[in-house]
Amino acid sequence: QDQLQQKIICPGPVTCLTASPNGLYILAGVAESIYLWEVSNGNLLAILNRHYQDLTCLCFTDDSSHFLSGAKDCLALVWNLYSVLQAEPSQIPDPRHVWSRHSLPITDLCCGFGGPLARAATASLDQTAKLWEISSGELLLSVLFDVGIMAVTLDLSEYHMFCGGMDGSIFQVDLCAWPVQRDRTFQTERENGKVFKGHRNQVTCLSVSTDGSLLLSGSHDETVRLWDIQSKQCLKTMNHKGPVTNAFIVLAPANMFNPDGKPSVPLPKFSKHLHGTESNDEQGSEGVTLRLGLHQQDSGESYLEKAEKMYSQMYSTREKNLVGDQEHLTIQVSELEEEVSTLRKINKNLFDFSARIITKPAK
């Protein structure tokens, strides 16, 4: 019953939308482009054009450092947010990984916990759901079903993957089943105890409670259902007046039930043009633009390039025999400590600079 706080006009129909967990950025899919806005000031920071068909889904990692995009072109891309933010406006940054193992459009994405070390699940009309490792980009698991998959999610402990089918069925895949197989076929007739049955049309969204006991599902049959995962019984059915497109379980904010609670900071209008491309006269206000790391462009590797190199070195050690390699590890530890020290200096300089700007007396 509350009034709409802000109406934001986008460049075209929005096919998918997500916000970073830290609340700083908004991602939207408009046709085949990804638009990235900064929430605090409404600046359009980047327009990414690496998909060949319309976007279908977007999601962030839990630490907001990476985001994933899926589209009708059968591709799922992994992006490093800070690489996108640091790229020049004239350049289109490259995604960190390009996952091209699906043969039909991507329908849903889900990211687990662990930031850059997390696992991500993708669902597709090609009747498969796949589990990936974000750090290395490797395919960990591919499960084949007898129907197209429209929704996918993981429980908090990542013991199970839940997949919603076009026929209304919801499948529970055990990720810790033995023996471990990279390619599996989910045979419904053999695994009746792992199927939620109740929806009469395609399942569009899935969400698991934080304690792993409840599953929420939405469907084109105009209902939202709450399931007990252990017994596969439907606990509650909520009817709607049209197809359900999205539903998820969230922790209630502290002021959610306060009748006088209102947003403390108004949401600004989102820009239609890339930040920095408008003329200064049109801005009509003074501002400070910070671009980290650009002063290092002519002096060797940038911080991001060094960080990527350190990432690759850390991940490569998992595939090596570490016996007798203690000296190499000691060098890596010292390099990481030096990197942390550099980051602390950068953070302190940023804080001091911001404090001087904020406390500068008005003329």
Side-chain angles (χ1 to χ4, degrees), residues 33-228:
S33 301
I34 304 172
Y35 285 72
L36 173 65
W37 282 282
E38 189 172 7
V39 173
S40 60
N41 52 29
N43 286 336
L44 178 58
L45 302 179
I47 302 176
L48 306 174
N49 296 292
R50 288 301 299 265
H51 283 285
Y52 304 103
Q53 294 186 38
D54 290 357
L55 269 290
T56 56
C57 43
L58 291 163
C59 72
F60 272 94
T61 55
D62 61 319
D63 66 344
S64 304
S65 66
H66 292 73
F67 62 90
L68 286 71
S69 61
K72 292 181 179 179
D73 59 4
C74 315
L75 298 179
L77 306 182
V78 180
W79 303 84
N80 185 319
L81 176 62
Y82 306 114
S83 297
V84 171
L85 294 177
Q86 295 232 136
E88 288 288 350
S90 59
Q91 297 177 343
I92 300 178
D94 292 326
R96 183 167 180 179
H97 301 300
V98 177
W99 294 334
S100 57
R101 301 288 290 274
H102 285 290
S103 56
L104 285 175
I106 307 292
T107 54
D108 197 16
L109 292 167
C110 173
C111 191
F113 286 85
L117 303 177
R119 287 171 286 272
T122 58
S124 172
L125 293 177
D126 64 6
Q127 302 186 359
T128 66
K130 299 182 188 295
L131 191 68
W132 310 80
E133 187 177 54
I134 292 179
S135 58
S136 64
E138 290 185 5
L139 176 62
L140 302 177
L141 174 67
S142 179
V143 184
L144 177 64
F145 300 87
D146 52 7
V147 295
I149 302 301
M150 302 300 298
V152 65
T153 192
L154 300 166
D155 64 351
L156 198 63
S157 58
E158 298 185 17
Y159 284 162
H160 306 289
M161 180 169 64
F162 298 92
C163 306
M166 293 192 70
D167 63 349
S169 299
I170 303 171
F171 310 101
Q172 176 180 317
V173 179
D174 294 334
L175 300 180
C176 300
W178 189 264
V180 177
Q181 295 175 310
R182 179 162 295 191
D183 294 288
R184 293 191 215 166
T185 300
F186 190 96
Q187 297 178 341
T188 307
E189 63 277 4
R190 293 185 182 179
E191 305 190 61
N192 282 326
K194 298 177 182 177
V195 180
F196 301 78
K197 295 182 179 180
H199 285 297
R200 301 182 304 276
N201 205 334
Q202 68 183 44
V203 177
T204 56
C205 48
L206 294 169
S207 181
V208 180
S209 61
T210 52
D211 63 357
S213 64
L214 300 175
L215 175 69
L216 186 74
S217 62
S219 170
H220 275 191
D221 65 6
E222 304 183 358
T223 66
V224 171
R225 291 176 178 264
L226 189 65
W227 307 83
D228 177 72

Side-chain angles (χ1 to χ4, degrees), residues 317 321-334:
T317 58
N321 184 0
L322 299 181
V323 178
D325 204 17
Q326 293 298 324
E327 183 179 352
H328 179 62
L329 288 178
T330 303
I331 295 174
Q332 282 191 325
V333 169
S334 63

Side-chain angles (χ1 to χ4, degrees), residues 182-308:
R182 179 162 295 191
D183 294 288
R184 293 191 215 166
T185 300
F186 190 96
Q187 297 178 341
T188 307
E189 63 277 4
R190 293 185 182 179
E191 305 190 61
N192 282 326
K194 298 177 182 177
V195 180
F196 301 78
K197 295 182 179 180
H199 285 297
R200 301 182 304 276
N201 205 334
Q202 68 183 44
V203 177
T204 56
C205 48
L206 294 169
S207 181
V208 180
S209 61
T210 52
D211 63 357
S213 64
L214 300 175
L215 175 69
L216 186 74
S217 62
S219 170
H220 275 191
D221 65 6
E222 304 183 358
T223 66
V224 171
R225 291 176 178 264
L226 189 65
W227 307 83
D228 177 72
I229 293 178
Q230 187 68 28
S231 64
K232 307 294 185 295
Q233 296 298 311
C234 180
L235 304 177
K236 188 175 182 180
T237 301
M238 293 154 276
N239 295 308
H240 291 262
K241 296 181 180 179
V244 177
T245 57
N246 204 357
F248 50 91
I249 299 173
V250 294
L251 296 175
N255 63 343
M256 179 175 179
F257 302 105
N258 181 7
D260 300 326
K262 293 182 179 179
S264 57
V265 179
L267 187 66
K269 290 185 178 180
F270 285 6
S271 303
K272 296 182 181 180
H273 305 284
L274 282 174
H275 178 54
T277 59
E278 305 96 332
S279 62
N280 293 330
D281 296 338
E282 294 177 354
Q283 290 291 324
S285 61
E286 296 182 359
V288 178
T289 301
L290 298 179
R291 295 185 66 84
L292 307 182
L294 292 183
H295 63 282
Q296 300 178 352
Q297 285 184 345
D298 299 328
S299 58
E301 293 180 317
S302 68
Y303 161 70
L304 283 174
E305 291 171 338
K306 292 180 180 178
E308 285 292 340

